[in-house]
Amino acid sequence: MAGRKDAKSFEAELRRPAGDGRLLNRRQLIAATSLAAVGLVGAGTAVNAVAIEPLLLPRITRYRISPEGWPPQLRLSLAVIADLHACDPWMTVGQIEQIVHVTNLLGADAVVLLGDYVAGHKKITAIVPDADWAGALGALRAPAGVFAVLGNHDWWEDERAQLSGRGPIGARIALERAGIPVLENDCVKLDKGGSSYWIAGLGDQQAFLHGRSLRSSAGPGVDDLDLTLSRISDDSPVVLLAHEPDIFPEVPKRVAVTLSGHTHGGQVRLLGRPIVAPSHLSLVYNYGHYNDDGRHLIVSGGLGCSWWPVRIGVPPEVLHIVIEGSDVAQETGAV
């Protein structure tokens, strides 16, 4: 696994022009996945999928967007971490520390965490205790702060919450003890250079496994979009954090940008398409930037693995998003 020396080397990669800093470049990934699709790489693909891509240091994927009505004087940069799925050997505390180091180097105004911090599968050698992965995330630094929402696996792995039908869950407690606020159907108003903006966080939409919870008949989630948006008290722009992108069709144009994870970009992409998705809408909104009549959604490919420790064609990534007022919205490629 990569050590601290690798993290320092990756710092130099961040300073390269866009397109030069990937640990695997686009041509290599397309070639690998195409060969996999026609069955020509056999064991080599299996080694890459299980032993290489899940353990890579993250690439930095950059987006620059200009939502309608965004204040021209406000240039906001956000670093986004999604779907760590902490476990040995696929996402250790040491690897999370490296991700934190790389994220801090971006110098973003705020860092947002999109949920699923705990392991999402059983193909592991050991769990990483909540206090350990949260403690590593506690070293994240940004002028406006670090803010988190929770994911479905954070809920599903909390047996007490599943049986009782309510939180707080262990992941939330661990994050808050590490000094990271958790926004669960809540929001916070922030300021940059005299301009205000809101970061809103939605409760998880799939918090309860069917049949396990006393609350299961009341619905699968703890999300309340109306309540979340009702807490916004002025017309400053809003960035919404929602672990699953499924909510996006219901998000009003009042929200400038929605940020989601959950899908892992399919986790396995062949010929640029995911082969699996957790739901119909997470297949529709699976990876990247969507602009639906002026409503923006960005879905991260995430960092860890669920259901199986395999990633093909979706290297681990941290997002660096710049939101600004402009007549031209430009999306740049991955570094």
Side-chain angles (χ1 to χ4, degrees), residues 74 165 196 273 312:
L74 176 60
S196 298
R273 292 180 173 274
I312 300 177

Side-chain angles (χ1 to χ4, degrees), residues 180-233:
I180 299 175
V182 176
L183 302 176
E184 200 162 22
N185 299 320
D186 206 351
C187 57
V188 59
K189 186 177 182 179
L190 302 171
D191 179 88
K192 181 183 179 183
S195 295
S196 298
Y197 61 96
W198 294 87
I199 292 182
L202 189 67
D204 188 69
Q205 301 158 60
Q206 299 176 10
F208 298 104
L209 286 165
H210 179 69
R212 287 183 62 186
S213 173
L214 295 175
R215 187 185 179 279
S216 60
S217 61
V222 293
D223 56 303
D224 191 329
L225 182 61
D226 290 340
L227 174 62
T228 303
L229 298 182
S230 74
R231 301 183 189 279
I232 296 168
S233 58

Side-chain angles (χ1 to χ4, degrees), residues 90-165:
W90 312 112
M91 184 61 69
T92 65
V93 170
Q95 289 167 282
I96 296 172
E97 289 173 344
Q98 290 176 349
I99 291 166
V100 167
H101 175 67
V102 167
T103 303
N104 284 341
L105 288 175
L106 296 174
D109 297 312
V111 178
V112 297
L113 312 177
L114 298 183
D116 273 6
Y117 311 99
V118 304
H121 58 86
K122 305 301 182 184
K123 290 78 180 175
I124 63 176
T125 58
I127 65 168
V128 175
D130 290 344
D132 293 352
W133 58 255
L137 292 174
L140 288 164
R141 296 290 181 266
V146 182
F147 304 93
V149 293
L150 302 171
N152 58 299
H153 284 285
D154 304 320
W155 280 90
W156 290 0
E157 297 302 318
D158 192 306
E159 189 69 22
R160 185 205 58 80
Q162 288 298 309
L163 293 175
S164 67

Side-chain angles (χ1 to χ4, degrees), residues 210-286:
H210 179 69
R212 287 183 62 186
S213 173
L214 295 175
R215 187 185 179 279
S216 60
S217 61
V222 293
D223 56 303
D224 191 329
L225 182 61
D226 290 340
L227 174 62
T228 303
L229 298 182
S230 74
R231 301 183 189 279
I232 296 168
S233 58
D234 61 26
D235 60 357
S236 299
V238 179
V239 176
L240 175 66
L241 315 180
H243 176 66
E244 297 93 351
D246 301 51
I247 194 68
F248 183 61
E250 301 176 34
V251 176
K253 208 166 184 177
R254 169 74 180 89
V255 175
V257 184
T258 301
L259 303 179
S260 295
H262 183 59
T263 68
H264 302 204
Q267 199 166 297
V268 175
R269 295 179 75 86
L270 299 180
L271 302 177
R273 292 180 173 274
I275 64 169
V276 295
S279 66
H280 170 68
L281 283 173
S282 65
L283 181 61
V284 174
Y285 304 112
N286 186 259

